[in-house]
Amino acid sequence: MKYSDPITQVIIVGLICFCCPGMFNALNGAGSYGLSPKDSDVGNKASTALSCMFAFSSLFAGALFNIFGHRVLLILGGLTYTLYVASYLTYYYIQSLAFVVVASCLLGIGAGWLWTAQGAVMMGYPEEGEKGRFFSIFWTIFNCGGVIGNIIPLAIQWNDAKATGASTASYAAFMTLMTLGALGSIALLPTNKVFRKDGSPVVKVSYANPAGEFLAVIKLFTDWRMLCLVPMFFSSNWFYTYQFNAVNAFNFSVRTRSMNSMFYWLAQIVGSILYGAFLDKKEWSRTTRARYGLFLLTGVLAATYAGGFVYQSKIGPKGYVFDAELKENVKDPSAWVIHDLVNDTSAWIGPFILYFMYGITDAMYQGFSYWVMGALTNDTNTAAKYAGFYKFVQNLGGILAPIVQTSTIGNGPSNGANAVNAHGQGMGELIICFVLIMAGVLGAVPVCWKAIKDTTVEETEVETQKSEIAYDDVKA
């Protein structure tokens, strides 16, 4: 395996994401970004700010990729993760919401750059029969960050069964790893120095001027394939707010949250490897794999969320109480029974299995999204635009999900009118989440049946072939 091989470069990108968004996921997956459950509104406000800027940044990050290259986007984007965690460490001491929100906005911009560059590499570098394999390799390395990242607070705070938030040492460890990951982007080769097995470069077209790149991004809104995939893209981050907060953050001690989160990301690894191998089965044509892959995804989602509805019927806000400190009504915190994996093992094991399956479904859902986009193009520049469009739509969902969680039908510990008028024990939040996911599955149907072919021919390749034919006719 050469340093200039696509697989080597994808592994390096995986290691960068292991340190940056992987550690972010570890902190996020533990619920409320490591804060106490009573401060979850801070996380929700930060998440909304982050998603707004993430969406805006992603929309044009594909054009920036084609102008500046992936290394610039990865290193700058990676450093914003460090700043983000620093804002939570600061909040731990001085409760500066303004710093958290500003850092969230900057992370939104940086994450848009980082994930667009990542998506371009992961979708544009592999050959047609290796899309699933490349995804599973990247997703495995990336999610090892979530697994190992959760070992940090788990080890540091294991003996503190009553702790409800991450410690200073935990935040410092996250910041160190994120900084190392961002600087690791220097190790990547320029895109035009990466070559496939047959010796061809992964980039087949020259860069357009900046205005042309931005216009190409806007044109994606007229591409029927992208429009059909909008529901899947939109819902692909929506369920994080429900899973990380309503399920994990509100119902477990911090060491149990960390254990749940560690196995959630471990489930992502298992799911990505098995599902990636399924989507690359050589015995079937690519069109067959697309359809079978969608069938399998639908079945696993339905079974997992059936269990989710059963669990939701046992948790969630059941009323409100008057908070003497806030001097207003809040959703009754007694609704969230804090289970501990050591002291309350029997009550913990069922929700733990459900949370593990949520990790499996996330890997499959996002893996299928990437696989479908990769099946539509073999060109790195086009893949960058697809990745940016995907993250743009995905983060529109991320903007709205926290709003639903703190509403009258959500699980969030909100106050005021949303507390007094809360009803449905938070079931409404899960229903919306499930409906959006199923809408995503339905939207993928026409793409799997009509757009995906057994081989992909780029428009640029067609034009090149036409030019060669015309040139041969002239010579004749």
Side-chain angles (χ1 to χ4, degrees), residues 47-314:
S47 179
T48 300
L50 191 160
S51 296
C52 286
M53 297 308 297
F54 200 160
F56 177 80
S57 173
S58 299
L59 185 59
F60 299 107
L64 294 177
F65 170 89
N66 291 334
I67 296 169
F68 297 110
H70 59 305
R71 291 187 296 178
V72 172
L73 300 191
L74 284 167
I75 192 169
L76 293 179
L79 290 173
T80 61
Y81 282 86
T82 304
L83 178 64
Y84 180 77
V85 176
S87 73
Y88 275 93
L89 178 57
T90 303
Y91 188 88
Y92 187 77
Y93 288 102
I94 63 173
Q95 287 76 54
S96 175
L97 178 60
F99 184 22
V100 173
V101 172
V102 170
S104 299
C105 291
L106 291 175
L107 175 59
I109 296 171
W113 296 348
L114 182 143
W115 279 107
T116 298
Q118 172 273 333
V121 170
M122 194 180 69
M123 292 187 289
Y125 278 20
E127 297 179 18
E128 290 185 353
E130 299 178 325
K131 305 282 186 178
R133 175 170 166 260
F134 271 56
F135 168 78
S136 64
I137 289 172
F138 166 81
W139 211 248
T140 295
I141 298 172
F142 158 54
N143 282 295
C144 279
V147 174
I148 296 174
N150 276 285
I151 294 175
I152 295 171
L154 195 61
I156 293 173
Q157 297 173 267
W158 175 261
N159 293 321
D160 191 355
K162 296 182 179 180
T164 56
S167 67
T168 300
S170 298
Y171 283 122
F174 284 126
M175 291 168 62
T176 300
L177 287 170
M178 288 173 169
T179 302
L180 290 173
L183 297 178
S185 304
I186 299 171
L188 288 166
L189 290 175
T191 307
N192 59 3
K193 292 185 179 180
V194 181
F195 299 90
R196 296 194 176 108
K197 294 175 183 177
D198 60 1
S200 62
V202 295
V203 176
K204 297 183 179 180
V205 298
S206 58
Y207 299 150
N209 57 60
E213 292 292 346
F214 287 120
L215 182 61
V217 171
I218 299 302
K219 285 183 177 179
L220 290 177
F221 288 93
T222 64
D223 187 332
W224 72 269
R225 301 168 302 176
M226 292 294 106
L227 294 179
C228 285
L229 292 172
V230 161
M232 178 167 278
F233 297 169
F234 184 82
S235 57
S236 61
N237 260 17
W238 182 288
F239 45 71
Y240 281 159
T241 300
Y242 172 77
Q243 292 169 5
F244 295 165
N245 291 338
V247 177
N248 202 24
F250 300 158
N251 298 286
F252 304 96
S253 64
V254 71
R255 66 180 179 183
T256 310
R257 285 157 55 182
S258 296
M259 179 67 79
N260 293 347
S261 183
M262 181 176 70
F263 275 88
Y264 180 94
W265 301 114
L266 183 62
Q268 295 255 0
I269 295 172
V270 174
S272 65
I273 292 173
L274 296 178
Y275 196 49
F278 182 87
L279 291 173
D280 276 350
K281 283 182 72 70
K282 298 186 183 301
E283 295 85 356
W284 301 329
S285 66
R286 189 162 66 174
T287 52
T288 300
R289 281 179 273 143
R291 297 167 188 178
Y292 284 1
L294 190 60
F295 288 141
L296 178 60
L297 174 63
T298 304
V300 176
L301 283 169
T304 299
Y305 277 85
F309 278 104
V310 172
Y311 182 62
Q312 182 62 47
S313 67
K314 302 175 182 179

